[in-house]
Amino acid sequence: MTDSKRAVVLGAGLAGMLTAHVLAGHVDSVTVLERDTVPDGPYLRKGLPQARHAHLLMSGGARTIDGLLPGTTDRLLAAGAHRIGLPADVVSLTAYGWQQRFPGAEFMITCSRELLDWTVRDAVLRDPRITLLDGVDLLGPLSAAGRVTGVALQPRDGSAGPTELAADFVVDCTGRGSPAKKWLAELGLPPVREETVDSGLRYSSRIFRAPAGAERDFPVVSVYPDHRSGRPGQSAVLVPIEGGRWIVTVSGTRGAEPPGGEEGFAAFAGAVRHPIVGRLIASAEPVTDVQGSRSTHNRRLHYEQLTPWPEGFAVLGDALAAFNPVYGHGMSCAAHGVLALDGELRRLGGLAPQLARRVQRAVSAAIDDAWILATTQDLGYPGCRAEVTDARLANPSPAGRQFADLVSTAALSQPVVAAATMEVTTLSAPLTRLRAPEVLAAVQRLAGGPAGRPVSAEPPLRKEELAFLGR
C-alpha cells in the first residue's frame, strides 16, 4: 500500500507500550524502538534502574490503563499484584498525623515494576500491527519542511551501520534521558521553558520475604515527614508485592539522606518519625541487596509553548514531566498522557494536520495537577533547589497553604474529606474536588471546634497486624 501509515514510538516502557497500542488503532503499523534488550518475561532491564524501588499504580492511572488496554488490572492481580484500598488498607503517618482507615472507592495496585511492565508489554505486543525493535541507539530525527519524518538508528552491538526509519508520526517516550530537547534545538526551535524542583531526595530500597501469615492482605505501611517543620524530610514505606514479598523504600531529602548500602538501612527505617517500618522488617528476611537512587527531582519541559512545533512529533511520559517518585504519580501521569493522545486522535480522526501540537497541549494539561501536588510539597524542604516560573509555585498564596493544611488535617478523621483527598491524590479527580461543598462544610466544622472522630497517636493497626511488630 503506497498510502499506508506508520508510527514510531521511542521507548518500550509503560508510556511507550500504551502509546503504541493507541496508535495502532489509527495507523497500519507501529514500530517501538528500545535501547535496552527487552526481557521475555517479568524481569529487570538495565535501562530502568528505578524498577528496583517501590512503585504504586494509583486508581486514577489503573482505571485509565484499563480503559486503554482492557483487563490489565485483572491480569496484574492474577499474577499476584495486590489491590490496596484507600485509605482502608494503608497504615500511614502523614505530615498531619495517622490517617484513619475508612472504606473508600479509591485504591492502588502494588507489584514489582517488572511485573507491571511485562503485563502491559505482553498484551500490547500480541497486536500484529506492533513490532518491537530493541537493542538500538537513536541517532536523531529525520525532518523535512517543518515536520519530523522518522528517525535514524543503529544497532547497539555494531552489527550494522546507521539506517533510517520513515514514519508519519513519532512519539518520544524515552523517559528522563529523553533527547527531545537537543533534537528540537537542532531542528531550529527556540529553547524550551524548563522547570525543576529538586529536594535532593535520595532513596534506598530492599526486598524482603514477608513473614509467614503476612504474604497477602497486608497493608501498605508508610511514614512521611512533616514538610512544614523546616527540617529535612525522611520517610519509610513498606509495599506488599507479588510472591509474598515486601519492597521497603527509605528516603531522605538533602542533608538527611539514607545510607547507600546495607549498613544502617534497618536503623534508618526505624529512626523516621515513627519506627513501625523498622520494627516490621526486623522479623523479615532480606532477599536482595540495598539499591539506591538519586534520580528523584521534579522536572517539566513546556513543549506545549514552543512555536513553531513540528508536525509528526510528540513527547509523552517522563520525557515531558518527571516526578519525585515518593508521590507515586509517574505511571498514572504517563497513562493520562496517553489518554490525551487517544482523545486527540479520535477527535481528529487519525493523523490529521495539527495533531502534534494539539497532542502536546492536551498532554501538558493532563499532568498539570500532579505537577502542582508534587512540587508544592517538595518546595517546603530546606535545601530544595528550584527553578520555576509558574506563579503558583514561585509565589504561593498563604491562604492556599492554610487551606491545604486544613483539608489535610480534616482528612485524617472526616470520611467525606478523606474520600475527596484520596480521589485527588490517586489522580482520579482534579484539585478542584477539594473545594466541593460537602468537603468545605466538613473542613469548616473541624476548624470551628472539636468534631469528628479523635485522631489516634498510635498507628491504626488491626489485631492480626500487630503480631508482626514483634511485641
Side-chain angles (χ1 to χ4, degrees):
M1 290 179 60
T2 58
D3 59 346
S4 64
K5 298 291 184 182
R6 169 189 279 175
V8 169
V9 177
L10 313 179
L14 179 67
M17 298 315 301
L18 291 174
T19 296
H21 174 69
V22 164
L23 285 169
H26 299 273
V27 298
D28 299 285
S29 66
V30 181
T31 303
V32 181
L33 303 179
E34 171 56 48
R35 187 172 185 267
D36 286 345
T37 299
V38 176
D40 185 19
Y43 309 113
L44 291 169
R45 60 183 177 90
K46 183 178 179 182
L48 196 66
Q50 67 268 37
R52 296 179 174 87
H53 306 280
H55 280 74
L56 308 174
L57 178 58
M58 298 298 184
S59 48
R63 292 189 188 106
T64 299
I65 292 173
D66 270 338
L68 296 168
L69 191 64
T72 300
T73 296
D74 288 342
R75 287 189 289 272
L76 286 169
L77 295 176
H82 296 243
R83 186 187 189 279
I84 305 294
L86 296 174
D89 299 329
V90 296
V91 175
S92 182
L93 180 59
T94 75
Y96 304 88
W98 289 103
Q99 174 66 55
Q100 292 195 42
R101 297 170 71 175
F102 306 121
E106 302 310 320
F107 61 92
M108 62 175 102
I109 302 297
T110 65
C111 62
S112 66
R113 179 62 188 268
E114 54 264 35
L115 175 61
L116 193 147
D117 278 2
W118 161 248
T119 300
V120 171
R121 186 169 68 245
D122 180 58
V124 169
L125 291 180
R126 291 177 186 275
D127 187 333
R129 295 170 296 184
I130 301 173
T131 301
L132 172 62
L133 184 59
D134 60 358
V136 297
D137 282 326
L138 301 172
L139 304 180
L142 307 176
S143 64
R147 69 173 297 124
V148 170
T149 59
V151 292
L153 61 142
Q154 181 173 326
R156 299 204 73 207
D157 62 7
S159 59
T163 59
E164 295 184 349
L165 183 62
D168 300 282
F169 201 68
V170 177
V171 184
D172 178 5
C173 299
T174 55
R176 285 180 180 263
S178 164
K181 184 167 68 170
K182 173 177 174 288
W183 284 2
L184 291 169
E186 290 172 351
L187 294 177
L189 272 73
V192 61
R193 182 166 75 90
E194 182 173 351
E195 296 187 285
T196 59
V197 176
D198 182 6
S199 67
L201 185 82
R202 174 180 173 178
Y203 58 101
S204 297
S205 296
R206 195 174 200 185
I207 297 179
F208 294 80
R209 192 170 308 285
E215 301 94 342
R216 295 293 304 179
D217 301 321
F218 201 80
V220 167
V221 182
S222 57
V223 178
Y224 293 112
D226 186 346
H227 58 281
R228 305 162 300 169
S229 68
R231 297 189 299 273
Q234 295 180 319
S235 65
V237 180
L238 182 154
V239 177
I241 62 170
E242 75 277 5
R245 298 174 296 162
W246 293 342
I247 288 184
V248 176
T249 295
V250 297
S251 61
T253 60
R254 190 170 284 109
E257 301 91 338
E262 295 181 16
E263 186 177 350
F265 182 89
F268 187 96
V272 295
R273 288 175 64 208
H274 193 282
I276 183 172
V277 174
R279 293 176 64 184
L280 286 168
I281 63 175
S283 59
E285 174 195 357
V287 295
T288 68
D289 296 333
V290 174
Q291 302 284 340
S293 178
R294 293 181 179 272
S295 183
T296 63
H297 65 284
N298 304 282
R299 186 212 60 200
R300 183 177 186 180
L301 295 153
H302 288 275
Y303 289 125
E304 79 283 359
Q305 297 176 351
L306 278 187
T307 301
W309 183 258
E311 289 279 3
F313 185 66
V315 184
L316 273 72
D318 281 4
L320 176 69
F323 299 87
N324 181 341
V326 76
Y327 303 115
H329 283 160
M331 295 188 295
S332 294
C333 279
H336 285 311
V338 178
L339 181 63
L341 165 67
D342 187 53
E344 293 305 318
L345 283 164
R346 291 176 184 275
R347 271 186 282 276
L348 294 175
L351 303 187
Q354 295 298 308
L355 171 67
R357 172 168 289 283
R358 290 178 59 132
V359 166
Q360 213 56 61
R361 289 173 174 171
V363 172
S364 181
I367 56 91
D368 193 60
D369 277 355
W371 173 254
I372 294 299
L373 284 168
T375 53
T376 49
Q377 185 152 321
D378 277 4
L379 285 166
Y381 294 117
C384 181
R385 299 169 184 169
E387 295 183 13
V388 295
T389 54
D390 190 323
R392 296 169 296 178
L393 304 176
N395 299 293
S397 160
R401 286 196 297 262
Q402 183 182 29
F403 177 73
D405 290 342
L406 287 171
V407 169
S408 298
T409 301
L412 301 180
S413 61
Q414 304 293 301
V416 68
V417 185
T421 300
M422 294 302 159
E423 290 175 31
V424 170
T425 57
T426 61
L427 305 185
S428 300
L431 274 167
T432 52
R433 175 72 177 89
L434 298 178
R435 294 189 179 273
E438 69 273 17
V439 176
L440 294 177
V443 171
Q444 288 165 359
R445 284 196 303 270
L446 191 68
R453 309 176 190 183
V455 177
S456 173
E458 291 299 317
L461 288 161
R462 295 171 181 151
K463 182 178 178 180
E464 64 272 18
E465 296 161 356
L466 282 168
F468 299 102
L469 285 178
R471 290 185 174 179

